[in-house]
Amino acid sequence: MRGLVLGGGGLAGISWTTGLLHGLAEAGLDLPGTADHILGTSAGATVAGQLASGLPLAELHLRQTDPARQNHEIVPPLETLGTLLEALAVLQAEITDPAELRRRIGRLALDTDTVPAADRRAVIADRLPVHDWPSRPLTLTAVDADTGEPRTFDRHSGVPLVDAVAASCAIPGIWPTVEIDGHRYMDGGIRTCTNADLMTGQQTVLVIAPMPDPNLPVELETLRAGGTALAITPDEDALASFGVNPLDTTVRAPAAEAGRAQARQVADQVRKLWT
């Protein structure tokens, strides 16, 4: 059993992950097509939802690099992102309990005025070539903004794919929370950037992690207790392509090409794990 974990990282993370998967496919490694289970968080939820369409990776890559194929996005000002990062840093310095930290971040998410929920949902809908869950196992993560409890969505949850992706991508203080079944949900990356530890039970797990996360080494050890696991993170060229604002649409093409180029460097390592 092989699991593919796709982590968060904004528009840059979507593009880099797509480029990386496309480059690996060019090297003969069709990871989405051969994975038994895909787990997506935030940007990774978007990529997972796009993969569910069945479109070839080459086409999904073009949707990142070709301006004529790129979907409409709402770009928050850089100062808004900076304010959020400062607020998160203060909370992380004050609160050591992870559950309480998630609740406090949830309070921030609920109290912050953002773009209208309908406008944000339209962006997510535009990102996804199809709006139906695939028949194969796909799990997306989110966090309850009121309780701080993590939540996972799949095709058995009775939740539309667009809403599940929107919830997983709802960066607190940037995007509106997403109401599902009377609960308000925020970005799944508030738990961890990949939530890779939820993929236990798979013999082989590849984690694609666009953002640094201090939880990742521990999660990899958890996975390795039951099998083999490998994480791929952006190289220096990829990080440079992300720019100063990973939510800016201008990063899409360079990040996708950086991911595609990096795939050539890591293909042998991934092949050893996956095949």
Side-chain angles (χ1 to χ4, degrees):
M1 300 290 287
R2 292 177 289 194
L4 179 61
V5 176
L6 308 176
L11 294 183
I14 293 171
S15 296
W16 174 77
T17 299
T18 302
L20 184 74
L21 291 172
H22 175 44
L24 289 171
E26 291 178 314
L29 291 162
D30 178 13
L31 302 186
T34 54
D36 296 293
H37 194 164
I38 297 177
L39 173 71
T41 292
S42 198
T46 290
V47 177
Q50 292 170 340
L51 293 171
S53 69
L55 288 179
L57 280 163
E59 175 62 25
L60 294 178
H61 185 261
L62 281 173
R63 285 168 62 94
Q64 299 299 319
T65 58
D66 182 356
R69 289 177 166 88
Q70 291 173 342
N71 66 284
H72 167 69
E73 293 283 348
I74 303 170
V75 180
L78 182 58
E79 54 268 26
T80 301
L81 179 60
T83 299
L84 169 63
L85 294 176
E86 290 175 4
L88 293 179
V90 170
L91 290 176
Q92 290 167 343
E94 292 178 349
I95 304 169
T96 57
D97 177 62
E100 177 60 20
L101 178 60
R102 292 195 298 270
R103 286 190 290 270
R104 289 286 298 275
I105 295 174
R107 196 174 309 156
L108 180 152
L110 293 167
D111 291 345
T112 304
D113 289 330
T114 64
V115 301
D119 292 355
R120 175 61 176 168
R121 190 183 191 278
V123 168
I124 301 299
D126 196 31
R127 286 180 183 177
L128 304 181
V130 301
H131 294 170
D132 297 321
W133 287 92
S135 58
R136 60 187 304 175
L138 168 62
T139 301
L140 307 181
T141 70
V143 172
D144 189 309
D146 286 302
T147 68
E149 291 299 310
R151 168 83 188 270
T152 58
F153 301 103
D154 59 24
R155 64 189 176 96
H156 303 294
S157 300
V159 175
L161 179 62
V162 173
D163 291 333
V165 172
S168 190
C169 295
I171 303 173
I174 301 290
W175 306 126
T177 57
V178 176
E179 184 172 355
I180 297 173
D181 299 331
H183 295 262
R184 306 293 304 187
Y185 291 97
M186 61 181 175
D187 199 301
I190 297 305
R191 180 178 181 267
T192 80
C193 289
T194 66
N195 291 289
D197 57 313
L198 301 182
M199 196 57 98
T200 54
Q202 304 294 316
Q203 294 174 330
T204 300
V205 179
L206 178 67
V207 181
I208 298 178
M211 288 183 64
D213 187 340
N215 298 288
L216 184 55
V218 176
E219 292 180 336
L220 289 173
E221 287 304 310
T222 298
L223 295 172
R224 287 167 181 156
T228 58
L230 172 68
I232 302 297
T233 59
D235 60 17
E236 289 186 8
D237 289 341
L239 289 174
S241 75
F242 289 7
V244 296
N245 184 359
L247 302 180
D248 193 324
T249 54
T250 60
V251 307
R252 288 188 285 190
E257 293 297 359
R260 186 181 185 186
Q262 187 175 350
R264 293 191 286 270
Q265 307 303 317
V266 301
D268 288 343
Q269 189 180 14
V270 173
R271 184 176 290 107
K272 183 178 179 181
L273 172 83
W274 202 255
T275 59

